[in-house]
Each structure stands twice: as C-alpha cells, then as structure tokens.
Amino acid sequence: MSVVYSEKDCVLINHKEYIDHIYRTTIVNQGDSGSDLKTIYTLREDVFNFAPKNRNDTDDTKRHKINAKKSSILISQNPELHELNQTIAAKSKEFLEDCKRRNVIFNESSHHTTDSSLSVFKEVCSEETVNVPLNGKNTLDNAIVTKISGQTYLIPPKCKFTNTCVSAIDKFADEFYDFIVIDPPWWNKYIRRVRTWKREEGYDMMYNDDILKIPLEDLIHPNTIVAIWCTNSPTHSEFVKKIALPKWNLKLLATYYWVKITKSGDPICEFNAPLKKQPYEQLFLATHIESERLLKDDINLIFSISSVVHSHKPPLLVFKDYLPDQPKCLEIFARYLLPHFSSIGREVLKLQNTILFEEKEQETVR
C-alpha cells in the first residue's frame, strides 16, 4: 500500500497514503446515545509541507566562501564518507529524475509554505503528550478514537502500547517478535543546543551505554528482523555495528538510507561535506547472528516526503517480504502507533493526536 515506485535498490513510499489507509474506518463511540460514528480520518496535507528555509542570496555567497575551506578539510579527512555521500547523491538524482519522468512524485506542483509548516509543528508540540505511565490496546479490526488526559487520540486496529520509559520493556514485551523497530534518541550536540532555546524541538537523549541495556537479545528468534534507525554520526554507526549488534546477538543484513524529499521530489537540503547536515538518515537492518540470511552489501535507498514534525519516520513495512504473513511486531521509542505492533516509549501517542488529522466523512452506525 505504501510503495509507490521501486527500481533496483531504490524505493519511493507514500507515508501519508499508508497512514490514511489505516484510518479509513474509525469508530467514534457516542456514549449513552446508543450509536457510534464511522469516520474517515486522513493526515493533514500540511503535515508534509516541508519547505527548506529561504536564505538571502548574498548571505549564501558569504556563507559558501566561509565554509568552502572547512568542507574541503572535512572531505580530505573523511574520504570514505565523502565517497558514500557522492554515491547516495548520484543515485538519488537518477532515481528522482526517473520518478518525475514517470509522474510518480506526489503533488509535484504543490506550493510549499514555511509558515504553514511551522504552524503545524508548533500546534502539535503545544499539545502535551501523556506524561504518566499508561497501557492501552485496540483488539478490534478497525481504528477507534479515545480521550486520554483531556486529549483526543486515534488508536489503530490490532495494536497495543505503553506510554513509559523503555527501561520497563521487560514488563511490556512478549517473548519473541518477527520484526523490531528501534529509533533511539541518540546523544546529539545539535539537539542539546536546541533544547536550551526551543523546547518543542528537543527531546530526551540517551547515552550509548544506556541504549545497550535494552534486552533485544531476549526478544528475537532466528528469523527476527531488526531495523535500527541511526544518525549519520560515524561514532554512532560504529557503535551499532561493532558493539550493539554483537551484544544483541545480531548481524548486519543491510544498510539503508532514508532520503528525505519535498513534495516536488527534491532532497530537503544539499548533500554536504562529511559530518555536516545531509538529506538522509541511516537505517541498519539486522537479523539473528545464526540466521542463514546473507548481507546485502549495496547502497539501498528509501525515499519519502519529509514531515514537518521532528523525527516523524516513515513506516517500515516496506520490509514485509522479509516477514511472515501476519508478523508480530515491536517498536521501541515509538512516536506513533501501527496495526499489529506493540509500541513502547515516552512519546508513544504524540503523533496519534487528532490535531494532526482531518475528518473526511461520517456515518452513524448502530
């Protein structure tokens, strides 16, 4: 449902379409009235109105001159990272141009409005997520609407969740999972600075040693697939590959790069020198150390339109070919819910707030 177009080692997914499909039938309980409302919810269009910041041409020229020497030094000091950036940039350009020729880029003529994007961002973040431990689930075949601590949330079908610190995972998790997604709040100097002046864009970070305490090795079986989101920091990458994976009894299966694009089908920023901001994030795909699956040693790219909400990752059921027909899934540090997933994290309901959605149709059911 979410795959729009794929070619070789590149795949374009429609994040919004996938989420909209989940909430095409949502039941709203009407309490004592004896009837419910069957409602269609869709993600607001402006959630994906990501627009690069407008810069003054004169300022750009000055900035380019100042940074050119620094970039040259970074390239000479990190030749392998520079080569990787160049490869990703070239493959991205070729694939996105192919998408445009085939008219598979969504809303290519859409006008981006930074003000609209920022208003959505601030509106979402002004609504406090539930900050007390709680457990919930939806065993029905359709999504439901519920109110928690004065806020209204959408809960997808066939899911369960706990809004708490991941240190409580032993009490929440079942024995084994087919698919595990983990998006750790990696320690990041930029986020640390952001928290000092713009609270809504910051989040609680964790040191690598604390991330290592998550007992993934107790939650996997020989065919489990684990997807690990990671920053582009070489330190974090090496930690995952050389320390975390062995500790969790995992081996690397493939490395993916999520290339974030705008509605016009362009990367959200330039491909820069190593260690500087890039329009992509890393995603490591791992499996049990005793699995017979082999390493896919290619440059694998996932493309999707970037959300204006911080760390709003695209759904990863693009990996369904690796999984059984009805996989048992777990997401750690989850920020939104998905069907057939158990989700744990301190922001697990953040992107379920109905403020991010629009009601399209309603029908009374009895």
Side-chain angles (χ1 to χ4, degrees), residues 13-32:
I13 63 176
N14 190 327
H15 186 162
K16 183 182 185 307
E17 180 183 87
Y18 183 83
I19 299 301
D20 289 351
H21 181 74
I22 294 172
Y23 301 106
R24 68 194 186 283
T25 303
T26 303
I27 301 300
V28 183
N29 186 283
Q30 295 298 289
D32 297 333

Side-chain angles (χ1 to χ4, degrees), residues 232-357:
N232 295 322
S233 162
T235 300
H236 292 153
S237 299
E238 290 301 297
F239 167 78
V240 170
K241 290 185 283 189
K242 294 184 178 181
I243 299 177
L245 292 186
K247 191 268 182 183
W248 291 330
N249 292 333
L250 296 171
K251 66 178 181 179
L252 186 65
L253 184 61
T255 302
Y256 283 78
Y257 299 90
W258 170 40
V259 182
K260 295 172 273 190
I261 60 175
T262 64
K263 283 185 176 179
S264 59
D266 300 308
I268 62 169
C269 68
E270 295 181 354
F271 288 86
N272 292 299
L275 308 183
K276 300 183 72 174
K277 183 179 180 180
Q278 307 293 346
Y280 63 83
E281 293 184 33
Q282 292 184 103
L283 177 68
F284 295 114
L285 205 65
T287 188
H288 195 283
I289 196 169
E290 296 180 357
S291 171
E292 295 181 357
R293 300 180 192 270
L294 300 177
L295 175 66
K296 184 182 179 183
D297 192 15
D298 299 306
I299 303 296
N300 310 284
L301 305 183
I302 300 172
F303 297 82
S304 72
I305 295 175
S306 181
S307 168
V308 300
V309 182
H310 178 75
S311 202
H312 193 179
K313 301 293 199 305
L316 292 180
L317 291 182
V318 66
F319 298 123
K320 63 181 181 180
D321 291 344
Y322 285 102
L323 307 175
D325 290 339
Q326 294 188 357
K328 187 177 181 181
C329 306
L330 171 70
E331 182 163 8
I332 305 171
F333 300 107
R335 293 178 178 88
Y336 66 98
L337 307 178
L338 288 171
H340 305 290
F341 266 80
S342 297
S343 303
I344 182 172
R346 290 173 60 185
E347 295 182 320
V348 75
L349 292 177
K350 179 175 182 179
L351 301 179
Q352 298 302 128
N353 198 311
T354 53
I355 201 169
L356 282 172
F357 294 81

Side-chain angles (χ1 to χ4, degrees), residues 128-136 148 153 160-173 177 180-185 203-204 206 214 329-338 341-352:
E128 292 186 3
T129 54
V130 178
N131 56 9
V132 295
L134 62 88
N135 299 307
I148 303 173
Y153 298 94
K160 75 171 187 175
F161 61 90
T162 182
N163 193 92
T164 189
C165 179
V166 298
S167 61
I169 194 169
D170 287 340
K171 300 177 182 178
F172 171 74
Y177 292 90
I180 299 175
V181 180
I182 178 169
D183 184 12
Y203 56 84
D204 292 332
M206 292 180 68
I214 299 170
C329 306
L330 171 70
E331 182 163 8
I332 305 171
F333 300 107
R335 293 178 178 88
Y336 66 98
L337 307 178
L338 288 171
F341 266 80
S342 297
S343 303
I344 182 172
R346 290 173 60 185
E347 295 182 320
V348 75
L349 292 177
K350 179 175 182 179
L351 301 179
Q352 298 302 128

Side-chain angles (χ1 to χ4, degrees), residues 184-195 202-208 210-211 236 333 346:
W186 299 100
W187 186 261
N188 182 297
K189 290 182 179 179
Y190 168 74
I191 296 297
R192 183 177 60 185
R193 291 196 302 269
V194 165
R195 285 183 63 96
Y203 56 84
D204 292 332
M205 297 174 290
M206 292 180 68
Y207 290 107
N208 291 355
D210 294 322
I211 294 171
H236 292 153
F333 300 107
R346 290 173 60 185

Side-chain angles (χ1 to χ4, degrees), residues 74-265:
L74 288 172
I75 290 172
S76 64
Q77 292 177 342
N78 302 274
E80 292 184 359
L81 283 179
H82 177 61
E83 182 179 355
L84 174 64
N85 289 351
Q86 295 293 95
T87 301
I88 296 175
K91 290 188 69 170
S92 296
K93 181 179 180 181
E94 179 181 1
F95 180 74
L96 292 173
E97 287 180 351
D98 187 32
C99 288
K100 292 177 181 180
R101 284 194 299 269
R102 296 171 181 268
N103 295 317
V104 293
I105 291 293
F106 349 118
N107 301 325
E108 186 170 353
S109 60
S110 177
H111 177 66
H112 303 302
T113 55
T114 303
D115 290 342
S116 173
S117 300
L118 290 176
S119 67
V120 174
F121 184 87
K122 292 176 180 178
E123 195 173 2
V124 171
C125 292
S126 67
E127 302 292 341
E128 292 186 3
T129 54
V130 178
N131 56 9
V132 295
L134 62 88
N135 299 307
K137 63 181 179 180
N138 178 12
T139 60
L140 303 176
D141 292 324
N142 52 259
I144 60 174
V145 174
T146 188
K147 285 192 174 182
I148 303 173
S149 297
Q151 297 296 318
T152 307
Y153 298 94
L154 292 175
I155 309 299
K158 302 295 183 181
C159 76
K160 75 171 187 175
F161 61 90
T162 182
N163 193 92
T164 189
C165 179
V166 298
S167 61
I169 194 169
D170 287 340
K171 300 177 182 178
F172 171 74
D174 294 327
E175 190 173 3
F176 300 116
Y177 292 90
D178 300 306
F179 187 43
I180 299 175
V181 180
I182 178 169
D183 184 12
W186 299 100
W187 186 261
N188 182 297
K189 290 182 179 179
Y190 168 74
I191 296 297
R192 183 177 60 185
R193 291 196 302 269
V194 165
R195 285 183 63 96
T196 65
W197 62 276
K198 202 170 185 181
R199 177 63 183 88
E200 67 269 20
E201 290 188 22
Y203 56 84
D204 292 332
M205 297 174 290
M206 292 180 68
Y207 290 107
N208 291 355
D209 287 346
D210 294 322
I211 294 171
L212 206 61
K213 294 176 183 177
I214 299 170
L216 284 189
E217 65 272 21
D218 297 333
L219 305 174
I220 62 174
H221 58 66
N223 292 313
T224 299
I225 296 296
V226 180
I228 306 169
W229 287 102
C230 185
T231 72
N232 295 322
S233 162
T235 300
H236 292 153
S237 299
E238 290 301 297
F239 167 78
V240 170
K241 290 185 283 189
K242 294 184 178 181
I243 299 177
L245 292 186
K247 191 268 182 183
W248 291 330
N249 292 333
L250 296 171
K251 66 178 181 179
L252 186 65
L253 184 61
T255 302
Y256 283 78
Y257 299 90
W258 170 40
V259 182
K260 295 172 273 190
I261 60 175
T262 64
K263 283 185 176 179
S264 59

